[in-house]
Amino acid sequence: MPALWIAHVTVTDADAYGKYAELAGPAVAKHGGEFIARGGRFVQLEGKERPRNVVAKFPSVEAAVDCYHSPEYQEALNHARGASERELMVVETSE
Protein backbone atom coordinates (compact mmCIF):
# COMPACT_ATOMS: atom_id res chain seq x y z
CA MET A 1 0.00 0.00 0.00
CA PRO A 2 1.15 3.55 -0.64
CA ALA A 3 2.44 5.68 2.21
CA LEU A 4 2.76 9.36 3.00
CA TRP A 5 5.94 10.94 4.35
CA ILE A 6 4.79 13.92 6.42
CA ALA A 7 7.22 16.52 7.73
CA HIS A 8 6.46 19.54 9.91
CA VAL A 9 9.39 21.96 9.94
CA THR A 10 10.56 25.23 11.42
CA VAL A 11 13.62 26.42 9.49
CA THR A 12 16.23 28.16 11.66
CA ASP A 13 19.01 28.51 9.04
CA ALA A 14 17.62 29.12 5.55
CA ASP A 15 20.94 28.70 3.72
CA ALA A 16 21.76 25.32 5.26
CA TYR A 17 18.17 24.15 4.90
CA GLY A 18 18.21 25.17 1.25
CA LYS A 19 21.12 22.77 0.69
CA TYR A 20 19.09 20.04 2.43
CA ALA A 21 16.12 20.68 0.13
CA GLU A 22 18.37 20.64 -2.95
CA LEU A 23 19.73 17.19 -2.04
CA ALA A 24 16.58 15.68 -0.51
CA GLY A 25 14.45 16.03 -3.66
CA PRO A 26 16.55 13.66 -5.79
CA ALA A 27 16.85 11.18 -2.89
CA VAL A 28 13.07 11.10 -2.50
CA ALA A 29 12.56 10.64 -6.26
CA LYS A 30 15.16 7.84 -6.38
CA HIS A 31 13.02 5.86 -3.93
CA GLY A 32 9.77 6.38 -5.81
CA GLY A 33 8.61 9.36 -3.77
CA GLU A 34 6.63 12.22 -5.25
CA PHE A 35 6.00 15.52 -3.47
CA ILE A 36 2.31 16.36 -3.22
CA ALA A 37 2.61 19.32 -0.81
CA ARG A 38 5.68 21.41 -0.17
CA GLY A 39 5.43 24.46 2.05
CA GLY A 40 2.02 25.57 0.80
CA ARG A 41 -0.82 27.27 2.59
CA PHE A 42 -2.07 25.48 5.71
CA VAL A 43 -4.37 25.93 8.69
CA GLN A 44 -3.10 24.66 12.06
CA LEU A 45 -6.05 23.30 14.01
CA GLU A 46 -4.26 21.48 16.85
CA GLY A 47 -0.76 20.94 18.17
CA LYS A 48 2.48 22.81 17.57
CA GLU A 49 2.47 24.97 14.47
CA ARG A 50 5.40 24.58 12.09
CA PRO A 51 5.52 27.06 9.18
CA ARG A 52 6.76 24.51 6.62
CA ASN A 53 4.82 21.32 5.95
CA VAL A 54 5.83 18.74 3.36
CA VAL A 55 4.01 15.62 2.17
CA ALA A 56 5.48 13.08 -0.23
CA LYS A 57 3.75 9.94 -1.49
CA PHE A 58 5.78 6.71 -1.71
CA PRO A 59 4.83 3.30 -3.12
CA SER A 60 5.01 1.77 0.40
CA VAL A 61 6.03 2.38 3.99
CA GLU A 62 9.17 0.36 3.28
CA ALA A 63 10.13 2.58 0.34
CA ALA A 64 9.73 5.71 2.48
CA VAL A 65 11.77 4.25 5.35
CA ASP A 66 14.43 3.01 2.92
CA CYS A 67 14.64 6.53 1.49
CA TYR A 68 15.12 8.00 4.96
CA HIS A 69 17.97 5.59 5.73
CA SER A 70 19.61 5.87 2.29
CA PRO A 71 23.07 7.43 2.01
CA GLU A 72 21.68 10.14 -0.30
CA TYR A 73 18.98 11.25 2.13
CA GLN A 74 21.30 11.04 5.13
CA GLU A 75 23.73 13.33 3.30
CA ALA A 76 20.88 15.79 2.76
CA LEU A 77 19.73 15.43 6.35
CA ASN A 78 23.16 16.49 7.60
CA HIS A 79 22.30 19.97 6.29
CA ALA A 80 18.90 20.03 8.02
CA ARG A 81 20.28 19.08 11.44
CA GLY A 82 21.00 22.27 13.30
CA ALA A 83 19.19 24.25 10.60
CA SER A 84 15.65 23.22 11.54
CA GLU A 85 13.32 21.83 14.13
CA ARG A 86 11.23 19.06 12.60
CA GLU A 87 9.00 16.10 13.01
CA LEU A 88 8.80 13.41 10.35
CA MET A 89 6.47 10.44 10.12
CA VAL A 90 5.46 7.85 7.56
CA VAL A 91 1.80 6.82 7.42
CA GLU A 92 0.38 4.02 5.31
CA THR A 93 -2.63 5.10 3.24
CA SER A 94 -5.81 3.14 2.69
CA GLU A 95 -5.60 3.45 -1.11
Side-chain angles (χ1 to χ4, degrees):
M1 288 205 162
L4 299 177
W5 163 310
I6 304 169
H8 305 289
V9 184
T10 299
V11 175
T12 57
D13 180 338
D15 291 336
Y17 200 82
K19 183 66 174 172
Y20 157 79
E22 179 184 314
L23 296 172
V28 166
K30 180 178 178 179
H31 289 87
E34 170 188 354
F35 290 103
I36 58 176
R38 225 173 170 181
R41 183 174 169 234
F42 72 97
V43 176
Q44 184 73 32
L45 297 175
E46 292 187 19
K48 182 172 178 64
E49 182 172 304
R50 299 274 187 200
R52 182 166 177 77
N53 299 282
V54 178
V55 180
K57 187 173 184 178
F58 283 83
S60 66
V61 168
E62 293 77 16
V65 172
D66 287 348
C67 176
Y68 181 84
H69 292 293
S70 71
E72 300 88 358
Y73 187 77
Q74 289 298 306
E75 180 184 351
L77 193 54
N78 284 334
H79 296 281
R81 291 186 179 109
S84 63
E85 298 171 6
R86 43 189 269 141
E87 290 85 33
L88 175 65
M89 70 181 76
V90 175
V91 179
E92 188 172 61
T93 68
S94 57
E95 306 184 332

